[in-house]
Each structure stands twice: as structure tokens, then as C-alpha cells.
Amino acid sequence: MATANFGWRVVKRQGEFNRFSSLLVTLLAIMLSFLASALLLFLTGADVGEAFSLLLEGAFGDQAAVVGSLKHATPLLFAGLSAGFAFRARIWNVGQEGQIYAGAMLAYWVSTLVQLPWLLMVPLVLLAGFTGGALLGAASSILKTRFRVAEIVSTVMFNYLIVLLLSYLLTDGLWMEPGQYYMQTPRVAEEARLPNFLPGINLHVGFLLAIAALFTVHLLLKRVTLGFSIRAFGSNPEVARFRGVDPNSMVFIVLVISGGLAGLAGVAQTFGVDFRLTTTALQGIGATGLIVGVIAGMRPLGIGIAALLFGGLAEGSMLMEVIAGVSSAIVTAMQAIILIIFISTSAIANYRLTRTSPNV
Amino acid sequence: MSDLFESTIIIAMLASMLRIATPLLLAAIGELVVQRAGIWNLGIEGTMLMGSFVAYMTAISTGSVWLGLAAGMAAGVLMNMIMAVCAVTLKLNQFIVGLGMNLFAAGITLFLYREALAHSGGFLPAVQTFTGLNLFGLADLPWVGKILFSQQFLTYFAFLMVPAVWLFLYRTRYGLEIRSLGENPKALDIRGLSVSGRQYAALAFGGLMTGLAGAFLVLAITDRFVPGITSGRGWLAFVIIIAGRWRPWPIVLAVLVFAALEAFQLQAQGVGVSAPYQLLLALPYLVAIIVMMLVRNNRAAQPEKLGQPYQRE
């Protein structure tokens, strides 16, 4: 109608756009995000050039920096997988934060119950962590299929509830470190800690497991019947149902796996880096994981790159804070900007301008 | 003596209940219009948080709560306009966009708050909050005076918006058009009426009200911003709209239930109820899940086209 008068029309592209243009969009989004972040830094009165070069140096400047970045990236890989996997099936699990805490909490509890050599203890702790997150995912799944509570609501509510539960457990002499004033557990047993896998390099085995999880989930989605069902369910639940995919069990499986992956993020951080639980130590991993999951879609390479980028930002921001005095919270702001810009540019890439003949 | 004590507690509880209800009601009534216009706005939490932060920063840097209020509303509108561009114009998945808005607001406000804190030497001042009114000079009446006639003006405004929005939705032509956006947008489009124009307008109104709700948190309930101050209130507003079957009056009822819980929690801490305080704090979230379980048949009341971007054939 009226648009024809301008001689140009916005037309929706047909089909999926190819790998090359999707890579282009990603690069464009990241560049725009850095520009926007630079503007934000400038507005707060920081020396933008100095801040960015410190950020880069702190993230990837030397071996210690790279190792630190990988360490930060580890829980993000798990949490990003958790989000990306669920979103692939169009199941809106936004409860990574709660599931991360639940995993770490169950793993911590188990680690205080038994005494085993590390060869048995570490797998046990990992299993408990997966189970903790998976249980919370299962709860959301039952609420969805039996009681029709939208998972996006239940998972958000569990995020708040789990942290309150931990806060309760950390008082009252239950889990609180005896003789301490802080709300924190004692350090976990040596045998339960995730060991380093390379001599002389302070990077725990959780990183390897995260990479393994990345490939496992990729293979699961691409090569296994279950994966086909999940993808079919994500693109059209009705059609999938006619092809024999049971929606209830699909929701259950996806939320259990997604929750379990998030739980492993909690184990990686608590048993690989912090060695103790507090109510704030795991904060923000879930949110960053969600961002990783959204911007990377379900491409394992994308999740890997995004987690590494954000891990690097987290590591580099510490140097930036110390030397340039810019709050390390800039990372959360940058991630937020990347997310919004990514969402909008990927949409714009779905359209193109075409010339329309006049007098139509 | 104990009677007097108990009645004081009850009066304080009811008075604080109406105050606590205000932001929930503002956001729920505002976003009701958005949802009736067919848009699942999951970014309520983020919009409220942004409104809260901008209101606080404006209030402490200008010294005027009124400017703070206006800025909070403007921030709310701006947030919902981003939502509008993504969800209405670009027809993106509304869940992803809403989620994005929440994460965006959380990240930006955290950073800017820390920066502001660092620039002012680790201390940010409190806001001179709104004072209660003395409506019709009745604030000193026993019992009801404190509950009904000495609230802040925004509380009265919030409750007045309920009949106003009801009148608008059910008794005006434009309200009917908004409602039909959620049910059958094609009917409007065929008659040559702009679907996206009305959805933008609905989102602007929702943003105004949600921004106001956020501003109320820092200008009337507490007197300063802390990161994450909304603590799920935006999500509660979302639950409240569903529980209220997308209708103004049932929404008021749902708001009062959640407000009563929080008011109880505040007073229980004061009186020394022996339950762990974490359990009291957990009540709204637990009840939100229970409410969603109870209202599962409300889906019939849900606007037919809620969450589906309108595509012309």
C-alpha cells in the first residue's frame, strides 16, 4: 500500500540465511556491542582506550590470563548449553541460576556425607551436581505437564526459592562454617575438588568435561533419534505429536538434561574454583549462560566462542578494575548490550530492501 | 492491652498492604493492556528495574522526587519501545525479547549503580520520599484513617487506574480495538486500522505504568536503589495478570493476595514469628507457583492471539 510510494520495500528473506551471512551478522553485532560499550565507558568518564586494552590484556595477555579466562568460561559453557538445549526444544528454561545452585548444593551435601578417594569422590560429586539441577528441572517439568504451570514462571520462582533455601542452610549452624562469622560453608574436602589435568597449569578438569558436554549435546541433537524428536518438537510440537513424539516425556527429558547441565556449572565453579558455597558466589552465571545460549543458538561452536568471550571478559575485567578503576560490573552491562544488539541485528538480517516499481 | 497491641499490628499490616500493593497493581494494570493487545511482555521485571534505577538517580541528582517520577516513567516507556521494535515491527520471538530486556536491565543498572557508587565515594544518598496524604482530613480517624486516608497519592492513583482501565477497555471504541488485537487483529487490519500503531500505544502505556511502579519502589517504599530491587515483582505482576484472567477487577484481588503476603512477612519479622525469615521471604514465590497451579483452567480466558506476532497474509 503506502510503502510502494517510496520505491523501496522491506521484504522478508525466504528460508534460512546461509552460514556466511550469519557469521557476518555475528561479527557485526559484536562490533556494534563494543562500540556501545565504549560509549558507556566514555559516559562514565573512563579512559576508553586504556580500559579496553587492559580488558584484552587481562583476558588473553599471557598464559595465566588465558587459563583464568578458560576457568571463567567453564561454568558458562555448561550454563550456555543448558539454555541453548532447552531453547532448541522451545522450552523456556530460564532457571539456570537456581539449577546451578541446586547442583552445587546437592554436590556439597553429598561431599560432606561420605569419605572416598578422589577417583570415586569426584565422579560422585559430579553425578550429585547433575542430579541436583536435574531434580529442579524435573520439578518444573511436572509443574508444566501435570499442573500446566508455564516453565518460564516456575523456573524463575525456583531461582529465588533455591537461594533462600541456601541462605537458610547457611545459618542456624546447619552448613555454616563453625566459628566463623560469614554465611559460608567450610571448604570442601580435598578429595572432592576437581583436579587439574595438565602439570603446572591451574585449570581443573571441569573445563574438559564442559568441552565433552558440548560435543555430547551436539551429537545427541544431530545423530540420535531422541535428538530428532527434540528438534522436531522445538520446531512444531503439533506435527511432532502426530509423528509419535510424546510431548510430556519430551518436556521432562529436555528439562532434566537442561537442569542437569546447569547443575554441572555449579559443581565446576564450587568444586573447581571456590571450594565453598556462599549465597553470592554463583550469582550471575545463570544470566550469562542464558545470554550465551540465546546469542549462540544451539551451534556448539557458537556456544564455545560465546562462553570463551564472556569468560575472557570476566577475567580481563578484574585487571581493568584494579588498574583503570572501572567497575568489573561493566561485563554484565557489555553482555546485556551484546544480547540486545544481537537479537535486533539477527532480526534485521531476516529482511532485505528491494526496489519496487512505481505506480503499483 | 493485648487487644490494643493486636489492633495496632492489624492496622499497620493493612496500611502497609495497600502500599505494597501499589507497584504490583500499577505494573499489572499497565501490562494488562499490553497483553490484551496481544503481546506477551516477559520484560516487565526489567522495565520495572530500569524505571526504579532511573527514578532514583534522577531524584538524587536533581533533588526532586517529581523529576525522578517522570524520569522513571520515561525509562519504562523507552524500555517497552525497544520491546515494541523487536516484537511488533521485527516480529521476533516475544519470549526471547522479553528475556533479553530483563537481562539487559539487570546488567546495565548493576554497572551504572556501581559506577555511581564509586564516583560518590561509596555512598549514595537516600531519596526524600513521598509523604502520605491526609485525604479529606480523615487521616486521624481511628482504624480506617491510617489504612485508607493517609496513603501516598500514587497508591490512590493505582487504585483509580483500575476503573479507568476497565472503562477504557470495555466502554470505549479504542479499548475495543485494543482488545480485538489480542483476539483477531486481522479484523482491524481489514478495516484499515493500524495494528502495530495500537500495539506500540499499548506498550507505551504499559511502560509508563511499569516505570511508575519501579519509581514507586525507590521513591515511596524504600528510599534508595539497590541492584535487583524489584526482586521478582515484575514476574509476580505477570502471574497476577494470568491469575486475574486478563480482567481488571480480578487482577486487583490477585494483587491484594500477594500484597497481604508481603505485609504479613514484614509484620511477622517485627512481632517475632518464630519461622525462619527465609521462609517468610519465600512466601510470594511459593504462592506464585501455587496460584499458577490453581488457575490452570484460566487459559480459556487468555487472549486468543497472545504472543503471536501479526503477519499479513
Side-chain angles (χ1 to χ4, degrees):
Chain A
M1 293 200 306
T3 45
N5 297 334
F6 296 112
W8 289 94
R9 271 187 80 188
V10 178
V11 178
K12 199 166 176 15
R13 279 182 203 273
Q14 296 300 314
E16 299 215 342
F17 47 94
N18 58 33
R19 259 161 206 276
F20 179 69
S21 56
S22 102
L23 187 70
L24 217 61
V25 166
T26 311
L27 286 179
L28 181 74
I30 290 176
M31 266 164 52
L32 277 175
S33 310
F34 272 86
L35 275 178
S37 307
L39 185 70
L40 193 64
L41 278 173
F42 179 74
L43 289 176
T44 58
D47 180 338
V48 178
E50 188 199 11
F52 271 134
S53 66
L54 283 170
L55 191 61
L56 204 63
E57 191 191 325
F60 305 109
D62 54 23
Q63 190 195 323
V66 173
V67 168
S69 296
L70 294 179
K71 218 190 268 184
H72 274 290
T74 302
L76 300 180
L77 279 166
F78 281 120
L81 266 179
S82 163
F85 180 69
F87 292 173
R88 187 65 182 258
R90 297 273 152 184
I91 289 172
W92 305 107
N93 176 15
V94 290
Q96 278 75 22
E97 178 108 0
Q99 290 147 9
I100 287 166
Y101 272 104
M105 284 159 69
L106 192 63
Y108 173 77
W109 187 58
V110 167
S111 81
T112 58
L113 289 183
V114 290
Q115 281 186 322
L116 292 169
W118 74 266
L119 202 60
L120 295 172
M121 191 67 157
V122 167
L124 182 68
V125 159
L126 289 167
L127 183 70
F130 186 92
T131 310
L135 280 175
L136 214 51
S140 287
S141 139
I142 290 166
L143 281 170
K144 182 181 171 73
T145 52
R146 287 285 296 276
F147 300 98
R148 297 185 66 186
V149 178
E151 71 280 16
I152 199 162
V153 172
S154 69
T155 50
V156 166
M157 296 303 158
F158 283 143
N159 286 347
Y160 292 108
L161 288 171
I162 281 291
V163 176
L164 285 170
L165 175 64
L166 178 59
S167 157
Y168 170 71
L169 290 170
L170 287 178
T171 52
D172 259 3
L174 288 167
W175 282 6
M176 192 174 176
E177 187 170 17
Q180 282 286 337
Y181 175 75
Y182 301 107
M183 280 180 76
Q184 62 182 29
T185 62
R187 286 160 75 87
V188 297
E190 293 278 352
E191 297 77 33
R193 298 181 192 177
L194 302 181
N196 294 338
F197 59 94
L198 288 175
I201 292 178
N202 185 19
L203 184 60
H204 60 83
V205 73
F207 176 72
L208 283 188
L209 289 170
I211 299 292
L214 202 63
F215 284 105
T216 311
V217 172
H218 177 64
L219 289 177
L220 172 75
L221 282 174
K222 281 281 155 68
R223 299 269 179 271
V224 183
T225 323
L226 176 66
F228 283 113
S229 305
I230 290 171
R231 285 191 294 156
F233 183 74
S235 58
N236 191 337
E238 278 305 302
V239 173
R241 202 158 63 85
F242 281 114
R243 291 160 89 195
V245 177
D246 173 30
N248 286 0
S249 58
M250 202 64 356
V251 170
F252 182 79
I253 291 168
V254 169
L255 277 171
V256 161
I257 294 178
S258 173
L261 287 167
L264 287 176
V267 176
Q269 185 64 24
T270 304
F271 290 81
V273 180
D274 300 337
F275 303 130
R276 64 165 101 238
L277 267 174
T278 70
T279 50
T280 50
L282 303 172
Q283 242 170 27
I285 298 174
T288 309
L290 277 171
I291 298 178
V292 169
V294 169
I295 69 173
M298 192 43 234
R299 292 178 295 274
L301 188 65
I303 288 186
I305 292 173
L308 211 62
L309 174 70
F310 288 167
L313 287 180
E315 175 73 16
S317 69
M318 298 196 293
L319 187 70
M320 185 178 70
E321 178 163 282
V322 171
I323 296 182
V326 177
S327 159
S328 58
I330 182 69
V331 173
T332 59
M334 284 176 75
Q335 288 166 354
I337 292 171
I338 292 174
L339 175 70
I340 287 293
I341 290 182
F342 194 89
I343 288 176
S344 35
T345 46
S346 65
I348 290 164
N350 282 330
Y351 295 87
R352 61 195 169 88
L353 277 177
T354 50
R355 187 108 207 176
T356 55
S357 52
N359 309 322
V360 174
Chain B
M1 190 62 195
S2 100
D3 280 352
L4 179 68
F5 179 68
E6 278 173 16
S7 66
T8 323
I9 293 282
I10 289 169
I11 291 172
M13 211 179 114
L14 290 174
S16 68
M17 179 176 117
L18 291 186
R19 190 171 67 245
I20 290 161
T22 307
L24 289 176
L25 190 56
L26 286 167
I29 285 292
E31 299 291 337
L32 167 69
V33 175
V34 173
Q35 294 207 4
R36 289 311 285 259
I39 295 156
W40 266 129
N41 184 6
L42 289 161
I44 307 178
E45 181 82 14
T47 304
M48 199 190 280
L49 187 61
M50 197 61 105
S52 201
F53 176 73
V54 172
Y56 172 71
M57 291 310 292
T58 311
I60 59 168
S61 50
T62 64
S64 158
V65 272
W66 292 100
L67 283 178
L69 203 62
M73 288 159 77
V77 173
L78 200 68
M79 285 291 282
N80 269 16
M81 286 302 100
I82 302 178
M83 177 81 196
V85 171
C86 292
V88 178
T89 305
L90 301 175
K91 304 191 194 313
L92 292 174
N93 182 310
Q94 296 176 6
F95 278 45
I96 300 253
V97 178
L99 207 60
M101 300 301 293
N102 291 336
L103 295 166
F104 177 72
I108 295 284
T109 55
L110 178 68
F111 169 66
L112 292 178
Y113 175 77
R114 293 259 177 88
E115 279 298 305
L117 206 60
H119 281 281
S120 62
F123 178 80
L124 286 170
V127 177
Q128 181 64 50
T129 53
F130 284 110
T131 48
L133 301 182
N134 184 351
L135 209 60
F136 315 123
L138 295 176
D140 292 329
L141 274 187
W143 292 84
V144 289
K146 196 163 182 303
I147 302 169
L148 292 181
F149 298 107
S150 61
Q151 298 284 349
Q152 282 127 341
F153 84 97
L154 274 171
T155 303
Y156 300 110
F157 173 77
F159 279 90
L160 283 176
M161 281 312 279
V162 179
V165 164
W166 179 83
L167 268 175
F168 166 72
L169 281 177
Y170 293 95
R171 290 291 181 272
T172 68
R173 183 180 186 79
Y174 200 76
L176 175 70
E177 287 165 8
I178 292 281
R179 280 188 295 138
S180 64
L181 285 176
E183 307 290 347
N184 187 359
K186 199 171 180 177
L188 280 184
D189 196 24
I190 287 172
R191 284 168 48 214
L193 301 171
S194 164
V195 169
S196 39
R198 280 166 184 74
Q199 288 182 328
Y200 267 79
L203 272 164
F205 175 73
L208 200 77
M209 296 285 281
T210 308
L212 199 56
F216 188 84
L217 290 178
V218 290
L219 303 180
I221 288 189
T222 64
D223 55 7
R224 62 182 78 230
F225 178 88
V226 288
I229 189 175
T230 45
S231 60
R233 282 186 181 83
W235 287 103
L236 291 184
F238 182 79
V239 168
I240 283 165
I241 295 172
I242 297 173
R245 306 204 323 278
W246 290 271
R247 277 156 183 75
W249 296 109
I251 281 177
V252 177
L253 195 68
V255 164
L256 290 178
V257 168
F258 281 101
L261 281 176
E262 203 180 327
F264 168 72
Q265 169 237 318
L266 287 176
Q267 296 300 325
Q269 280 176 324
V271 188
V273 170
S274 60
Y277 75 91
Q278 289 94 348
L279 183 64
L280 295 169
L281 287 177
L283 280 177
Y285 311 119
L286 279 174
V287 171
I289 293 178
I290 294 168
V291 162
M292 291 291 280
M293 288 163 74
L294 294 176
V295 302
R296 60 185 140 157
N297 294 325
N298 280 11
R299 282 299 158 89
Q302 179 178 326
E304 181 89 21
K305 300 283 183 198
L306 189 52
Q308 301 172 15
Y310 175 65
Q311 310 267 17
R312 206 177 269 176
E313 304 297 311

